[in-house]
Amino acid sequence: MITMRATVVAVAVAAAMALGACATVKTPSKQDPLEGFNRTMFEFNDTLDRVAMKPVARAYNWALPQFVRDRVSSFFSNIGDVYIAANNLLQGKITAGTEDIMRVAINSTFGLGGLFDFASQARLPKHQSDFGVTLGHYGVPPGPYLVLPLLGPSTVRDAAGLLVDWQGDLTAYMRPIWLRTTLYGVRIVSTRAALLGATDLLSNAALDKYSFVRNAHLQRRQYLISDGNPPPPAYDDESDADTGPTNDGAPAPGAEGAPAAGAARLASETHVPSQQMIPPGGRPYSIPNLRFR
């Protein structure tokens, strides 16, 4: 199963590299030296999302009442807490890992297999983690920013962590195959449907959606690795500040405060703290990731 997934992603990456071979950026930033390729892949994901995923997600919201959609989200969240607990324990976060285990125990028993989230009502916090966060916790550098086909924003470090994430995904071990495939499909649609409002706000708020998503994703990852206390950005010189125009002429994040204002508005209107405006899967708007977190 892992080999098949890796093969699909590898083929998609090779195709995207062929498509983006001539897409270059004159002055790529240090955090995004692959910007030409990444923008091509970003457009590919965005187009696929508009054509396929968003219509399906809207139909899902139309067909199912909110109560049913909440039960589906809670079910997958409960499964994801198992892997989150493992990563928190690997990072030496005993309290967080214990809380995750207690969440699974409570929701799996009193919550009817995770359909109801009684753990949150009991004031047990919901954490987010994966193997990329674990690697970052132990000082592994993120490497260049990387947009993956279908999976969306990532880094070289987090992309390598995907192999472990997939191995830790409990859905991969479910049998028969039709059940596993069905669960994958429902989870993807459920995740995308939950982000419809946020992605509409993102489209209206960002002058350069690619840069907005990139910076928000990197900020989110640093937030998770640093336990909510990310260090302030540091630049070697003014050229690293990324405040000039992008390759398509749109202002870069921070120029005239537009993306920053958009981030604040997005966080405000979705009732999510600004540091946490990117959803748990780390994929701000495009094709939802195929991992539990």
Side-chain angles (χ1 to χ4, degrees):
M1 186 65 186
I2 304 302
T3 302
M4 182 181 69
R5 289 175 173 175
T7 301
V8 171
V9 172
V11 171
V13 168
M17 291 182 68
L19 290 173
C22 58
T24 60
V25 177
K26 292 183 178 179
T27 56
S29 64
K30 289 185 177 181
Q31 67 178 355
D32 192 7
L34 305 174
E35 186 172 347
F37 165 79
N38 285 336
R39 282 186 178 271
T40 299
M41 183 57 67
F42 182 87
E43 291 299 326
F44 169 78
N45 287 346
D46 192 31
T47 300
L48 185 61
D49 182 57
R50 291 197 309 268
V51 172
M53 290 304 303
K54 184 178 285 188
V56 173
R58 293 190 185 280
Y60 175 85
N61 279 355
W62 175 83
L64 297 179
Q66 185 66 51
F67 176 82
V68 175
R69 300 200 301 270
D70 288 345
R71 303 290 70 76
V72 173
S73 297
S74 295
F75 173 78
F76 288 120
S77 177
N78 186 57
I79 294 178
D81 280 337
V82 176
Y83 186 59
I84 292 171
N87 277 282
N88 278 330
L89 293 175
L90 282 174
Q91 295 167 34
K93 301 176 182 177
I94 305 303
T95 299
T98 302
E99 289 172 342
D100 296 329
I101 294 173
M102 292 178 64
R103 284 184 60 88
V104 174
I106 292 173
N107 289 338
S108 297
T109 53
F110 301 105
L112 303 179
L115 294 178
F116 295 89
D117 185 5
F118 287 120
S120 293
Q121 297 180 28
R123 303 295 180 88
L124 283 173
K126 169 72 175 177
H127 301 115
Q128 304 296 337
S129 192
D130 54 50
F131 197 66
V133 174
T134 300
L135 292 175
H137 175 80
Y138 287 106
V140 178
Y145 177 70
L146 182 65
V147 180
L148 297 174
L150 306 181
L151 301 179
S154 186
T155 62
V156 172
R157 178 195 62 208
D158 293 344
L162 279 172
L163 297 177
V164 178
D165 290 338
W166 283 334
Q167 191 68 40
D169 184 352
L170 296 183
T171 309
Y173 303 99
M174 294 185 178
R175 298 294 185 274
I177 294 179
W178 68 263
L179 174 61
R180 181 178 65 214
T181 304
T182 300
L183 289 175
Y184 277 139
V186 173
R187 180 176 58 181
I188 292 172
V189 174
S190 174
T191 302
R192 185 62 187 90
L195 302 178
L196 285 173
T199 55
D200 290 341
L201 286 173
L202 174 61
S203 298
N204 295 329
L207 296 178
D208 179 11
K209 190 158 60 173
Y210 168 82
S211 296
F212 187 101
V213 170
R214 177 191 63 194
N215 293 351
H217 173 77
L218 293 176
Q219 180 192 58
R220 170 63 173 167
R221 297 299 290 177
Q222 186 58 45
Y223 178 88
L224 291 174
I225 292 170
S226 62
D227 294 326
N229 297 295
Y235 302 105
D236 294 334
D237 52 54
E238 292 182 0
S239 64
D240 293 338
D242 196 21
T243 55
T246 61
N247 67 314
D248 56 1
E256 300 181 0
R265 179 177 172 229
L266 181 63
S268 173
E269 298 194 27
T270 54
H271 306 288
V272 178
S274 58
Q275 284 277 15
Q276 301 181 17
M277 65 182 176
I278 303 305
R283 306 292 186 247
Y285 87 101
S286 190
I287 304 301
N289 67 332
L290 304 183
R291 295 176 285 170
F292 288 127
R293 292 205 227 165

